[in-house]
Amino acid sequence: MKKIIVWLRRDLRLHDHPALWEASQQGIVIPVFIWSKEEETHLHSSPTSKWWLHHSLYALQKTLFTKGISLIIRSGNNSLHVLKTLVEETGADSLYFNERMEPDLYLRDQLILKELNLIGIKTRCYCTNQLVHPSQIVNKSGGPYKVFTPFYKRLLKEFIPRPFPIPSNLRGLNQKIDSLFIEQLDLLPIINWDQKLHRHWIPGEVWGITQWTSFLSKSISRYQQDRDYPYTEASSALSPYLASGDLSIRALWYAALRFKEQHDELEGQVDAFLRQLAWREFSYYQLWHHPSITEHPLRESFREFPWNSHIEQKMDSWKKGKTGYPLVDAGMRQLWETGTMHNRIRMVAASFLVKHLLINWTEGAKWFQHTLVDFDLANNAMGWQWIAGTGFDSAPYFRIFNPIKQSEQFDQDGEYIRRWVPELSKLSAPYIHRPWEAQAELLKAAGIVLGETYPNPIVDHQMARERALKAYSTIKG
DNA sequence: TCGCTGTTGTG
DNA sequence: ACAACAGCG
């Protein structure tokens, strides 16, 4: 009987796991997780992703245990080496895994496939992190799409492979193989700031599925109308499960389609959700075709952009949610507290950093990477380039989000601000959107001393807007 | 003033 | 866990 190592990565789940499914059909399954921090640098530098991974691993270990299978955990700085050792220890003859699409990891994996083939191991790897493999979609001239809408139209015509079922009977190895304890990977922070993440998130496949069903029953019926309003909490809250691979994109895609068939009246709502999944798809598509987008602007002309260079103080205010713009601050504090930020507020806060403060988007991307529980290399890079106007299908340079107007429009009564910026909670709308314009008596009654209990704006909106337009006009075209 | 020690704050 | 620091002999 075949002995197959199933190398688990950002796919700690049983549903839609082609490598695990195929292995379960063909022989003995040896599931292995390898923590290789030198290779997975973008994961390593993200304490929130590591926290998620820790708990995700626990969840999977438990699930596998109930099926009589033990998860082997190893660490090392060279996955190839670890895998070779495991082949020797287990006598495995095959290695199956699901592809990872991050450029550096993809190259590493190709090398691993080659090296293991050389020593007579049968290898298979499967595309599962994308709806459709990025190389499969090209425009009429044979190149990659640069604009989302045509890409999306094309994607809808593609055949998207159906998700794989959960393997029902897994055969494990009789022999006991050494494994580390999950704790030994040191994924959790030393000081227990992660306690607050526990209040908002439960990692793992099971809770991902729970979140999906609760989204279907509670919010999807008003998704299209409500998703832009941060206080309604109408978003799906599925992003960390997708980013970690606890949920499969294809499983979600097909589940959404099935739901749409059963609820004709919600077609528009479900389509709005599918479109969001397609944005994720588009970001991996772009990362595949332009691996440098995580570091460099996609548009060459931006290499010379006059970004601010003395940024420390402003960066610090932004990170801490002390810019003096309530909506921006509310978002930044939600991020710090919960590891997530409402999508619309991400756009406002990111735009503020890039356009009002003229700070290079890569600085913002680094902070999001550090703090986001749903950090995703491709999504993050694309999102920031979109906001900065440095990507292909980006916000035009002259679109500068007005943090006050956005606040008035999407948080009209200031409830979201009140929740995350408690020192403003006694100030009513409309002044909660722009406290610096409130009369002295109003501020006093609300217990606010600008510059003390809540900062004055660190930059003037009108001045910043003109400055940004001027800076952007230098590289236009 | 030095060095020890307990406290505080920290992603 | 660890560094920075205040308080103390």
Side-chain angles (χ1 to χ4, degrees):
Chain A
M1 181 163 287
K2 266 181 148 178
K3 280 187 192 171
I4 306 155
I5 293 178
V6 176
W7 182 17
L8 299 162
R9 299 111 75 75
R10 306 223 88 191
D11 47 17
L12 302 176
R13 60 173 190 255
L14 298 192
H15 76 278
D16 191 33
H17 198 302
L20 182 66
W21 169 262
E22 290 293 339
S24 77
Q25 296 302 101
Q26 296 171 10
I28 289 168
V29 174
I30 309 165
V32 174
F33 179 85
I34 302 166
W35 175 239
S36 54
K37 53 188 173 198
E38 280 184 15
E39 291 166 347
E40 308 193 13
T41 45
H42 47 271
L43 228 191
H44 183 56
S45 59
S46 168
T48 32
S49 296
K50 287 202 302 181
W51 172 83
W52 192 281
L53 176 61
H54 176 98
H55 295 287
S56 223
L57 274 169
Y58 250 103
L60 182 75
Q61 189 179 51
K62 199 177 151 198
T63 312
L64 286 174
F65 186 77
T66 61
K67 294 182 176 275
I69 306 280
S70 43
L71 173 63
I72 300 168
I73 292 165
R74 294 289 171 98
S75 75
N77 292 323
N78 184 324
S79 299
L80 173 62
H81 183 75
V82 177
L83 286 168
K84 278 184 168 172
T85 311
L86 277 160
V87 165
E88 275 178 35
E89 287 177 34
T90 59
D93 47 65
S94 310
L95 170 74
Y96 294 0
F97 59 87
N98 300 330
E99 259 177 2
R100 285 195 51 168
M101 307 305 282
E102 295 92 331
D104 49 339
L105 296 180
Y106 187 82
L107 290 175
R108 175 199 65 175
D109 292 352
Q110 293 308 111
L111 181 78
I112 285 174
L113 288 170
K114 209 168 105 190
E115 290 282 326
L116 287 176
N117 280 329
L118 281 177
I119 58 167
I121 300 297
K122 293 199 186 69
T123 55
R124 287 222 195 150
C125 78
Y126 303 85
C127 172
T128 182
N129 188 50
Q130 267 47 73
L131 295 169
V132 174
H133 195 279
S135 63
Q136 221 173 301
I137 297 185
V138 287
N139 62 23
K140 281 188 191 116
S141 48
Y145 283 94
K146 292 180 173 179
V147 177
F148 175 73
T149 307
F151 168 82
Y152 186 42
K153 283 186 180 155
R154 176 62 204 284
L155 176 69
L156 291 175
K157 286 184 194 148
E158 284 292 319
F159 170 72
I160 294 166
R162 291 201 159 267
F164 285 71
I166 294 171
S168 49
N169 58 329
L170 287 165
R171 270 160 301 199
L173 207 57
N174 281 329
Q175 172 194 354
K176 174 97 181 98
I177 304 294
D178 279 346
S179 169
L180 295 172
F181 293 106
I182 294 167
E183 287 80 3
Q184 289 175 284
L185 301 180
D186 286 331
L187 296 169
L188 293 183
I190 292 158
I191 56 163
N192 66 348
W193 61 267
D194 56 319
Q195 287 311 311
K196 45 187 188 184
L197 294 182
H198 280 289
R199 269 181 247 137
H200 303 277
W201 300 106
I202 308 177
E205 178 183 22
V206 170
W207 289 99
I209 294 167
T210 307
Q211 183 57 42
W212 165 245
T213 39
S214 118
F215 173 57
L216 285 188
S217 63
K218 284 191 205 129
S219 338
I220 203 169
S221 60
R222 290 192 52 82
Y223 183 71
Q224 207 172 9
Q225 302 91 307
D226 287 357
R227 59 180 225 93
D228 265 328
Y229 296 87
Y231 197 70
T232 61
E233 304 200 359
S235 40
S236 71
L238 292 168
S239 56
Y241 296 98
L242 271 175
S244 63
D246 288 355
L247 288 182
S248 141
I249 182 82
R250 289 176 184 171
L252 272 186
W253 185 268
Y254 274 99
L257 289 183
R258 205 178 318 123
F259 184 82
K260 189 162 82 165
E261 280 166 21
Q262 294 159 353
H263 302 266
D264 284 347
E265 74 286 4
L266 297 180
E267 188 180 4
Q269 308 290 342
V270 180
D271 284 346
F273 178 70
L274 290 172
R275 198 181 165 85
Q276 292 306 305
L277 295 185
W279 271 104
R280 173 195 185 272
E281 186 78 1
F282 189 48
S283 68
Y284 272 97
Y285 179 80
Q286 293 197 62
L287 180 61
W288 175 266
H289 291 285
H290 313 281
S292 67
I293 60 165
T294 55
E295 314 266 335
H296 302 293
L298 208 40
R299 289 175 194 249
E300 286 285 328
S301 52
F302 272 91
R303 305 224 162 181
E304 303 302 315
F305 191 84
W307 298 114
N308 260 340
S309 45
H310 44 280
I311 60 171
E312 208 149 294
Q313 237 189 341
K314 296 273 194 288
M315 234 359 238
D316 205 51
S317 306
W318 182 75
K319 288 178 180 174
K320 290 194 168 121
K322 295 194 170 171
T323 67
Y325 286 86
L327 188 68
V328 172
D329 292 342
M332 297 307 292
R333 295 191 203 180
Q334 181 188 23
L335 174 60
W336 187 244
E337 286 299 311
T338 69
T340 191
M341 196 196 310
H342 187 277
N343 182 254
R344 170 147 297 272
I345 318 306
R346 284 190 205 198
M347 294 194 277
V348 176
S351 170
F352 184 84
L353 184 80
V354 170
K355 297 201 169 164
H356 285 72
L357 303 180
L358 282 183
I359 291 177
N360 194 328
W361 61 270
T362 53
E363 295 298 322
K366 273 187 238 164
W367 182 247
F368 273 24
Q369 165 160 2
H370 186 82
T371 50
L372 279 173
V373 85
D374 64 10
F375 168 72
D376 177 297
L377 194 67
N379 271 339
N380 199 44
M382 189 196 61
W384 278 97
Q385 295 229 29
W386 188 86
I387 277 297
T390 59
F392 289 139
D393 182 23
S394 291
Y397 74 93
F398 51 82
R399 183 193 292 170
I400 296 171
F401 278 82
N402 180 332
I404 306 151
K405 285 236 172 79
Q406 290 283 315
S407 191
E408 290 166 345
Q409 189 176 348
F410 296 105
D411 189 31
Q412 204 177 354
D413 299 329
E415 293 157 298
Y416 176 76
I417 293 170
R418 256 177 225 110
R419 166 144 192 215
W420 297 110
V421 189
E423 64 265 38
L424 295 179
S425 62
K426 286 187 186 145
L427 193 60
S428 53
Y431 290 110
I432 193 165
H433 306 295
R434 38 197 158 91
W436 59 90
E437 285 178 14
Q439 298 91 327
E441 314 89 76
L442 263 177
L443 289 175
K444 204 177 167 200
I448 298 163
V449 184
L450 285 181
E452 284 180 35
T453 64
Y454 184 74
N456 281 302
I458 57 170
V459 63
D460 174 70
H461 170 66
Q462 206 52 40
M463 180 286 287
R465 188 186 145 76
E466 278 151 31
R467 186 176 61 173
L469 286 173
K470 205 168 147 204
Y472 271 76
S473 69
T474 63
I475 49 88
K476 181 170 38 160

